Amino acid sequence: MKRKRNTKQDSDTKFYERTYDKAAKNVIATRQFLAMILHERVPEFRPFSLDVIERDCIDGTPLVDVVPVDPGQTNRKRPKKIRGLNTEQSDEDEGYITFDVLFYARVPGSGKRIKLLINIEAQRSNPRYRLFSRAWFYLSRLVSSQKERDFTGEDYDSICKVYTIWLCFYLPEGEESSITSYRFQPECLVGNHKEPESVYDLADIIMIHIGDDDDTADTLLRFLRLVFLKQLTEKELTQKLQDDFGLKPNEETGKELTDMCNLSAGLMERAEAKFKAEGKAEGEGNIILNMLKEHMHLNAIERFTGWTAGEIRALAEKNGLAVE
């Protein structure tokens, strides 16, 4: 007899996961963590220290899950920042879409203003479409929506440069952790005319895939892996941030880390309880398949079940599921 699905439990779990995702976005949206991303991956800010970037370069308060993506919506005046419940439609397949973390930054000295979008695809598998296609659409919206806000009339020379940075906590099959930048480059087909770099260097898509391969020397990959994939307590995470990166969380960052770590621990407890309650009735294999379908990370499944990574991958492959 087929077991009746516990829809209330599933709904509670999804709500809990969405709340965790929002907490993770709030962590990234702290000035301290944004400074790390700017320093490591936005060339204009590379010459400056983390303290200078945090203190002098980030304009105002980063917007989290507030600004709609859809045409005709992006320019609307919205609240500065919303905390608590996710502002997206509760049904994940419907409703309007919002940019995850959106903010402006200014380059010291030149005063050049740059618009940055950071999208966090935390703990999710590759969608049915190419994620790069979505990144391209988001970038296009951030450029086109500047008219009558960042510049008026035909003052197109005042278009603000846009970076869209995607943090993807899964690896495409057969690949390792990577960071790839996509930007415009001129190619003279006839003659040798080129526009000044400042005219065409206005858009950059950066795709960051973060996995469990710990041998990378890249600072940002190690930083993101530590914060989001290591499943540490708040105390352990805070100590590692200081030891490995010389980063001492301030009051703002500490509060967001507390929320995220508490939610992460709650998700762990829920998964462990679900495994213990349902494992005997449905078999360990079925529970692991459910965990994979809910996009739980490989390390977490190993911890909860005692299965090895190889056994889990084999089960996933047999059932046509991705392993994160």
Side-chain angles (χ1 to χ4, degrees):
M1 180 176 179
K2 189 175 180 180
R3 182 180 173 126
K4 186 177 180 181
R5 186 180 178 187
N6 190 338
T7 55
K8 182 181 187 305
Q9 185 182 54
D10 290 342
S11 177
D12 289 347
T13 299
K14 287 182 178 180
F15 174 79
Y16 211 84
E17 289 173 346
R18 287 198 301 270
T19 306
Y20 171 81
D21 286 348
K22 181 61 183 293
K25 294 173 188 179
N26 283 340
V27 167
I28 285 293
T30 62
R31 301 172 76 88
Q32 209 168 22
F33 278 22
L34 289 177
M36 174 69 80
I37 295 174
L38 291 178
H39 181 266
E40 292 299 319
R41 284 294 159 253
V42 180
E44 289 89 343
F45 297 96
R46 187 66 180 178
F48 306 102
S49 69
L50 294 176
D51 288 341
V52 168
I53 298 172
E54 179 187 348
R55 183 183 67 243
D56 300 333
C57 300
I58 300 171
D59 272 4
T61 302
L63 302 169
V64 180
D65 279 340
V66 173
V67 180
V69 174
D70 292 339
Q73 299 289 324
T74 310
N75 277 338
R76 291 189 177 183
K77 187 176 181 181
R78 309 286 291 185
K80 273 198 168 184
K81 188 169 182 179
I82 295 178
R83 293 183 178 274
L85 299 179
N86 196 314
T87 59
E88 296 180 20
Q89 182 75 19
S90 59
D91 186 336
E92 58 190 26
D93 296 321
E94 298 179 3
Y96 67 83
I97 304 170
T98 56
F99 295 113
D100 282 357
V101 180
L102 186 62
F103 65 103
Y104 287 99
R106 290 190 183 273
V107 180
S110 69
K112 179 180 179 182
R113 199 182 196 201
I114 295 177
K115 190 170 190 176
L116 293 108
L117 163 66
I118 299 179
N119 279 92
I120 305 173
E121 295 295 313
Q123 307 298 330
R124 299 189 185 279
S125 60
N126 205 0
R128 60 184 179 274
Y129 52 84
R130 288 192 175 275
L131 197 58
F132 182 83
S133 300
R134 181 176 167 189
W136 183 252
F137 175 75
Y138 278 30
L139 182 141
S140 301
R141 289 293 306 129
L142 289 174
V143 173
S144 64
S145 65
Q146 291 182 38
K147 196 172 190 306
E148 308 308 329
R149 184 187 59 235
D150 296 301
F151 71 92
T152 59
E154 297 184 351
D155 185 20
Y156 294 103
D157 287 337
S158 295
I159 291 176
C160 179
K161 183 174 181 178
V162 174
Y163 280 85
T164 176
I165 303 174
W166 291 70
L167 308 182
C168 310
F169 291 89
Y170 66 88
L171 296 181
E173 186 175 354
E175 295 188 13
E176 58 186 9
S177 295
S178 61
I179 302 177
T180 308
S181 173
Y182 301 86
R183 60 169 65 95
F184 286 103
Q185 293 292 336
E187 178 184 1
C188 294
L189 303 179
V190 179
N192 59 4
H193 172 76
K194 291 182 182 178
E195 294 289 340
E197 185 177 7
S198 60
V199 174
Y200 64 80
D201 184 29
L202 293 175
D204 197 335
I205 297 174
I206 300 176
M207 307 295 291
I208 303 177
H209 286 91
I210 307 107
D212 288 325
D213 43 339
D214 285 329
D215 56 347
T216 179
D218 183 82
T219 299
L220 184 58
L221 283 175
R222 291 191 297 110
F223 174 78
L224 293 170
R225 186 181 292 117
L226 171 65
V227 175
F228 295 106
L229 294 185
K230 288 299 184 180
Q231 303 294 345
L232 303 176
T233 65
E234 181 189 358
K235 183 177 180 180
E236 292 170 337
L237 177 55
T238 299
Q239 189 62 53
K240 289 287 288 182
L241 286 171
Q242 294 184 51
D243 293 345
D244 296 354
F245 301 96
L247 186 64
K248 185 176 181 180
N250 55 28
E251 183 177 353
E252 177 201 21
T253 305
K255 179 186 181 304
E256 302 298 355
L257 283 176
T258 298
D259 291 344
M260 187 186 75
C261 289
N262 287 343
L263 284 165
S264 178
L267 284 172
M268 286 286 198
E269 292 170 2
R270 282 168 177 262
E272 288 173 340
K274 184 175 182 180
F275 178 74
K276 291 176 181 177
E278 300 182 6
K280 293 181 180 179
E282 297 185 3
E284 292 182 358
N286 289 338
I287 299 302
I288 291 173
L289 289 176
N290 288 336
M291 290 177 171
L292 291 168
K293 290 174 183 177
E294 292 180 6
H295 310 297
M296 289 187 65
H297 199 271
L298 176 62
N299 284 350
I301 299 177
E302 286 183 276
R303 175 184 164 187
F304 301 149
T305 66
W307 284 40
T308 67
E311 290 170 335
I312 297 169
R313 290 184 186 280
L315 181 65
E317 183 178 354
K318 181 179 177 181
N319 290 273
L321 297 173
V323 177
E324 299 184 32

